[in-house]
């Protein structure tokens, strides 16, 4: 590739490279010379509000301190919506993103600190100007002043003038292209009545709509432009846009997809109407459809203390926003004390118990997100994971997040005789070679690698990633390849048939195994990712801070999502079944010392009811002499095959008489 035409668009720095002691060379490492203009987005713009975004403490007096099970403040305060700007992993990732693509931080801050961004403190884009309640994250005002970008007669009357007054109105909700009401008119799904006078309010259908969540849960890199047809295709490529210039269309389908959680939902069966999930999600709500239905489940309670004479509702939305982060909330409690990442005026002042409540809610959500079904299929077990969510499993931020299957095979003494997907809690190391890991891998294509000096291929350098190398995450109900491809969310390097929202994996059973224990785990932050944040940061100490917090909080200990143990039927095999020769009958997976019976029939495959149960042979049924399982759990018997029976069909089956009764093999 000829780089000379690109040189005016590059900000070059030099770096020492390894060389013989007698020779030290220099190599050019380049980051695109992006500016904040490259990340300008439609919607509300900095300094455009008449009334500022208030701190969550302004809401605490009326919406907290009375019932931590249902009150909005307590449910929200310990979770990642509240702590999005205190998250040490976000800070570490932001530093590297700024190294790789200068000014991209302004786009990140849009969603992690809407209050700070709208007041102009995302300049500089490394977040260093953010202060005070900018660290409130996605707080009460940030959400309750959101305006629907799509004109609808059911929306508040003021919305038409708000939309008309925008210099760049968005035509969709994504990538932080939000619209905030310039006035302090707090919006929500309920009619508060004409006598309500505590603050200005508007009833907003938008706050029940999944499109609201798309604002920050469909994320794209606007510095990249898609090269392809009118509708996205798996063959499309993405290139760096002209620099110091906003994206030409601001449409998410024309930008590089980093996260597509909303689009995954929009192409799922859940988006077509409510689904009865048997109480799995939704709280009091029997059927669920929207993001809010599952992540803000209905409860019975009131939104204010009794002194306000509130309405007790059976459809009070809980503000837990349960997701999948199972360690960072605990880290925030530690950072509030150490103040290593922010100052005292930015600390959350949240009761540490609320952080633990948030982690417990996330663990519960993960446990409900999937079903695990394990079956023996001849010489293998099949682990089926069914995605019960309305988006991919897992979904969201792809860096360091993963889900995998752990299988342990046990012999009759409960010794582990085989394991797949072993995880070492001390070193946080996962054996990825022996199991299936569900994840997405972004990275750099050859052109971007040449431009930036970073290696081609999968990479955690998300800011300069322009290619999806792999994505085997399990799609939701209603999946079709065409629909997901059209929203840049199709599987890559893996395939799912249309309509399939589960995935099967086969694991071969070791000879001595009589039981299998299968578990599914999710991990928020892998060792590989946290080490990347540590070693690639050349700007500040935020990578070290994130790493130290990761270690102190248990190294993002994997969260169990489901488990099942099954007893394994003995596996029967026959070799050397040739007329006039010696055949070997083998039965593996038996208890040590178990008496094993080999039977056969010349008349068919049954089934036949016997005193021991149903067997797959037709009478008359004949038996060979018994054999006994050795210390390896295998019983073998040599039998002579009579001459002259070539071509005669024989049906045969074996059974091991174990401590729990006879266990029949495959036939």
């Amino acid at each position: 590739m000829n780089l000379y035409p690109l040189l005016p668009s590059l900000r070059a720095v030099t770096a020492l490279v390894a060389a013989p002691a007698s020779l030290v060379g220099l190599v050019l490492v380049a980051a695109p010379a992006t500016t904040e203009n490259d990340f300008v987005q439609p919607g509300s713009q900095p300094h455009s509000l008449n009334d500022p975004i208030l701190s969550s403490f302004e809401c605490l007096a009326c919406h907290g301190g009375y019932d931590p099970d249902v009150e909005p403040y307590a449910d929200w305060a310990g979770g990642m919506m509240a702590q999005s700007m205190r998250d040490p992993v976000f800070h570490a990732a932001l530093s590297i993103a700024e190294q790789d693509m200068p000014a991209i931080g302004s786009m990140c801050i849009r969603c992690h600190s809407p209050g700070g961004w709208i007041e102009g403190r995302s300049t500089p884009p490394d977040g260093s100007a953010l202060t005070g309640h900018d660290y409130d994250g996605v707080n009460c005002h940030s959400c309750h002043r959101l305006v629907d970008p799509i004109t609808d007669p059911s929306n508040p009357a003021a919305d038409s003038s708000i939309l008309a007054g925008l210099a760049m109105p968005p035509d969709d909700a994504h990538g932080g292209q939000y619209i905030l009401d310039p006035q302090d008119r707090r919006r929500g799904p309920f009619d508060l009545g004409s006598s309500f006078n505590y603050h200005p309010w508007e009833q907003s259908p938008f706050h029940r709509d999944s499109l609201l969540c798309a604002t920050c849960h469909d994320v794209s890199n606007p510095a990249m432009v898609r090269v392809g047809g009118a509708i996205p295709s798996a063959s499309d490529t993405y290139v760096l846009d002209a620099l110091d210039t906003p994206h030409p269309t601001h449409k998410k389908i024309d930008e590089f997809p980093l996260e597509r959680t909303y689009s995954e939902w929009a192409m799922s069966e859940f988006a077509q109407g409510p689904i009865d999930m048997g109480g799995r999600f939704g709280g009091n709500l029997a059927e669920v459809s929207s993001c809010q239905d599952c992540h803000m489940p209905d409860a019975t309670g009131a939104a204010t203390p009794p002194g306000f004479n509130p309405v007790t509702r059976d459809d009070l939305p809980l503000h837990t926003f349960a997701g999948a982060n199972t360690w960072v909330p605990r880290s925030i409690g530690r950072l509030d004390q150490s103040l290593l990442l922010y100052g005292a005026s930015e600390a959350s002042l949240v009761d540490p118990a609320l952080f633990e409540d948030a982690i417990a809610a996330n663990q519960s959500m993960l446990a409900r997100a999937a079903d695990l079904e394990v079956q023996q299929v001849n010489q293998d077990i099949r682990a089926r994971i069914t995605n019960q969510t309305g988006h991919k499993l897992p979904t969201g931020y792809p860096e360091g997040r993963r889900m995998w299957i752990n299988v342990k095979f046990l012999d009759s003494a409960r010794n582990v005789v085989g394991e797949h997907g072993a995880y070492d809690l001390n070193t946080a190391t996962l054996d990825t070679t022996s199991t299936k890991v569900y994840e997405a891998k972004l990275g750099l294509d050859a052109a971007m690698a040449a431009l930036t000096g970073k290696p081609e291929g999968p990479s955690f350098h998300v800011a300069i990633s322009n290619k999806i190398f792999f994505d085997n995450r399990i799609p939701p109900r209603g999946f079709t390849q065409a629909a997901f491809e059209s929203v840049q969310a199709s599987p890559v390097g893996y395939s799912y048939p249309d309509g399939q929202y589960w995935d099967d994996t086969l694991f071969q059973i070791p000879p001595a195994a009589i039981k299998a224990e299968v578990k599914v785990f999710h991990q928020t932050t892998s060792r590989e990712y946290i080490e990347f944040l540590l070693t690639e940061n050349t700007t500040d100490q935020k990578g070290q801070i994130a790493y130290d917090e990761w270690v102190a909080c248990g190294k993002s200990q994997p969260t169990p999502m489901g488990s099942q143990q099954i007893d394994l039927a003995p596996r029967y095999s026959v070799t050397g079944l040739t007329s006039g020769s010696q055949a070997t009958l083998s039965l593996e997976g038996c208890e040590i010392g178990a008496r094993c019976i080999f039977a056969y029939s010349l008349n068919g495959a049954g089934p036949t009811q016997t005193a021991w149960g149903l067997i797959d042979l037709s009478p008359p049924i004949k038996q060979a002499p018994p054999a006994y399982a050795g210390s390896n759990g295998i019983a073998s018997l040599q039998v002579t095959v009579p001459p002259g029976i070539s071509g005669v069909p024989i049906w045969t089956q074996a059974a091991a008489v174990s401590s729990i009764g006879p266990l029949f093999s495959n036939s």
Side-chain angles (χ1 to χ4, degrees):
M1 178 180 180
N2 182 3
L3 291 180
Y4 286 105
L6 298 174
L7 289 178
S9 299
L10 302 181
R11 183 182 66 185
V13 296
T14 56
L16 292 175
V17 295
S22 59
L23 177 65
V24 175
L26 292 176
V27 64
L28 189 67
V29 179
T34 42
T35 71
E36 290 193 54
N37 283 336
D38 292 292
F39 304 100
V40 168
Q41 304 261 54
S44 296
Q45 299 301 314
H47 308 294
S48 63
L49 301 187
N50 298 326
D51 296 325
I53 296 293
L54 299 180
S55 163
S56 60
F57 292 121
E58 299 286 340
C59 306
L60 173 58
C62 298
H63 296 289
Y66 63 96
D67 187 347
D69 290 334
V70 299
E71 68 179 54
Y73 184 83
D75 284 345
W76 165 85
M80 293 309 300
M81 296 286 275
Q83 307 306 329
S84 59
M85 197 57 223
R86 297 185 184 95
D87 178 356
V89 175
F90 169 71
H91 278 268
L94 179 63
S95 293
I96 294 176
E98 277 292 300
Q99 291 171 189
D100 289 344
M101 184 168 278
I104 195 172
S106 62
M107 185 193 81
C108 306
I109 292 169
R110 290 178 81 107
C111 281
H112 281 259
S113 177
W117 184 86
I118 199 68
E119 294 184 7
R121 288 187 289 276
S122 67
T123 301
D126 61 0
S128 57
L130 297 171
T131 185
H133 70 261
D134 294 345
Y135 277 73
D136 234 5
V138 185
N139 74 359
C140 316
H141 262 216
S142 300
C143 279
H144 287 280
R145 284 174 64 176
L146 285 174
V147 175
D148 189 346
I150 310 300
T151 300
D152 190 306
S154 64
N155 287 334
D159 286 9
S160 57
S161 61
I162 293 172
L163 295 176
L166 294 173
M168 289 191 296
D171 60 3
D172 198 358
H174 71 97
Q177 296 181 13
Y178 44 73
I179 304 168
L180 293 168
D181 190 331
Q183 310 296 329
D184 183 6
R185 290 174 286 212
R186 303 174 197 182
R187 296 154 179 263
F190 301 120
D191 182 349
L192 302 184
S194 58
S195 62
F196 185 93
N197 57 8
Y198 293 101
H199 56 69
W201 64 276
E202 297 281 1
Q203 186 176 13
S204 167
F206 184 49
H207 284 72
R208 294 185 185 271
D209 193 332
S210 293
L211 187 65
L212 182 147
C213 306
T215 306
C216 287
H217 293 280
D218 258 6
V219 183
S220 309
N221 187 344
M224 302 286 184
V225 175
R226 182 174 62 87
V227 179
I231 299 174
S233 164
S235 62
D236 293 343
T237 58
Y238 296 84
V239 299
L240 195 65
D241 189 16
L243 297 182
D244 197 30
T245 304
H247 191 278
T249 70
H250 296 296
K251 296 180 182 294
K252 60 187 171 187
I253 64 169
D254 294 330
E255 301 173 348
F256 180 68
L258 299 174
E259 302 171 33
R260 284 293 181 267
T261 300
Y262 168 80
S263 291
E264 294 159 14
W265 169 87
M267 295 298 158
S268 78
E269 189 176 324
F270 286 90
Q272 308 309 312
I275 298 174
D276 186 348
M277 296 297 292
R280 182 185 296 259
F281 307 113
N284 292 344
L285 194 64
E287 297 181 331
V288 295
S289 175
S290 70
C291 308
Q292 292 90 330
D293 289 346
C294 293
H295 294 277
M296 301 182 70
D298 285 358
T300 300
T304 60
F308 289 88
N309 194 29
V311 174
T312 297
R313 302 180 178 276
D314 290 327
D315 60 348
L316 181 72
L318 295 180
H319 284 59
T320 47
F321 300 104
N325 198 311
T326 56
W327 75 272
V328 168
R330 185 175 296 129
S331 170
I332 306 299
R334 290 171 42 83
L335 290 168
D336 280 352
Q337 299 299 314
S338 69
L339 301 179
L340 289 172
L341 198 57
Y342 43 79
S345 63
E346 288 79 48
S348 75
L349 305 181
V350 168
D351 182 346
L354 296 182
F355 293 129
E356 297 305 317
D357 289 346
I359 289 173
N362 293 344
Q363 290 170 333
S364 173
M365 178 63 84
L366 285 168
R368 288 175 282 135
D371 285 339
L372 171 65
E373 179 188 356
V374 182
Q375 289 185 337
Q376 182 175 348
V377 182
N378 298 324
Q379 310 297 317
D380 302 313
I381 63 165
R382 184 191 70 194
R384 170 170 291 184
I385 302 175
T386 300
N387 178 5
Q388 300 291 7
T389 75
H391 43 65
K392 286 183 180 180
L393 187 67
T395 189
Y397 188 67
E399 308 301 294
R401 291 191 180 185
R402 57 189 180 182
M403 179 178 77
W404 70 89
I405 306 168
N406 172 256
V407 180
K408 291 181 180 178
F409 290 106
L410 309 176
D411 66 12
S412 58
R414 295 199 64 81
N415 297 313
V416 176
V417 293
E419 184 171 8
H420 298 263
Y423 185 85
D424 188 320
L425 289 171
N426 292 321
T427 64
T429 301
L430 172 66
D431 174 13
T432 60
T433 62
S434 63
T435 191
K436 185 178 289 180
V437 180
Y438 296 91
E439 59 188 342
K441 294 182 179 181
L442 312 184
L444 287 67
D445 68 9
M448 186 59 67
L451 176 65
T452 62
K454 303 296 184 186
E456 179 185 357
S459 169
F460 290 132
H461 287 279
V462 65
I464 51 176
S465 292
N466 69 332
K467 182 176 179 178
I468 301 173
F469 283 85
F470 183 74
D471 185 355
N472 69 337
R473 296 174 297 173
I474 305 173
R477 283 173 169 81
F479 164 81
T480 67
Q481 173 64 30
F484 270 60
E485 188 172 358
S486 73
V487 295
Q488 304 160 290
S490 58
V492 177
Y494 203 79
S495 63
Y496 290 92
D498 286 357
Q500 183 169 312
Y501 56 99
W502 62 88
D503 190 50
D504 293 338
T505 308
L506 294 177
F507 297 93
Q508 187 173 7
I509 302 171
I514 68 165
K515 291 182 182 291
E517 293 179 349
V518 183
K519 297 180 180 180
V520 178
F521 287 102
H522 177 274
Q523 187 173 40
T524 306
T525 309
S526 68
R527 176 182 59 81
E528 292 80 1
Y529 182 51
I530 202 72
E531 288 180 350
F532 163 84
L533 296 178
L534 172 67
T535 59
E536 292 294 312
N537 187 321
T538 60
T539 302
D540 51 39
Q541 292 300 306
K542 291 181 178 179
Q544 184 70 59
I545 293 170
Y547 180 84
D548 291 344
E549 288 301 317
W550 177 81
V551 171
C553 293
K555 300 180 180 178
S556 188
Q557 183 170 330
T559 299
M561 298 178 65
S563 64
Q564 187 177 346
Q565 177 176 294
I566 64 169
D567 294 318
L568 300 172
R571 282 80 64 199
Y572 183 31
S573 63
V574 179
T575 59
L577 191 62
T578 304
S579 176
S581 67
Q582 289 283 310
T584 301
L585 312 181
S586 295
L587 191 63
E588 62 182 44
C590 309
E591 289 185 358
I592 297 173
R595 180 170 176 261
C596 299
I597 299 169
F598 300 91
Y600 66 95
S601 168
L602 301 178
N603 287 341
T608 300
Q609 185 65 48
T610 71
W612 282 0
L614 203 63
I615 65 173
D616 296 330
L617 299 174
S618 299
I621 299 167
K622 299 183 179 182
Q623 293 183 18
Y628 294 86
S631 59
N632 60 357
I634 301 175
S636 295
L637 183 68
Q638 296 280 326
V639 296
T640 300
V641 181
I645 66 166
S646 179
V648 176
I650 300 175
W651 291 265
T652 180
Q653 190 174 15
V657 183
S658 71
S659 58
I660 61 173
L663 298 174
F664 294 103
S665 74
N666 52 297
S667 57

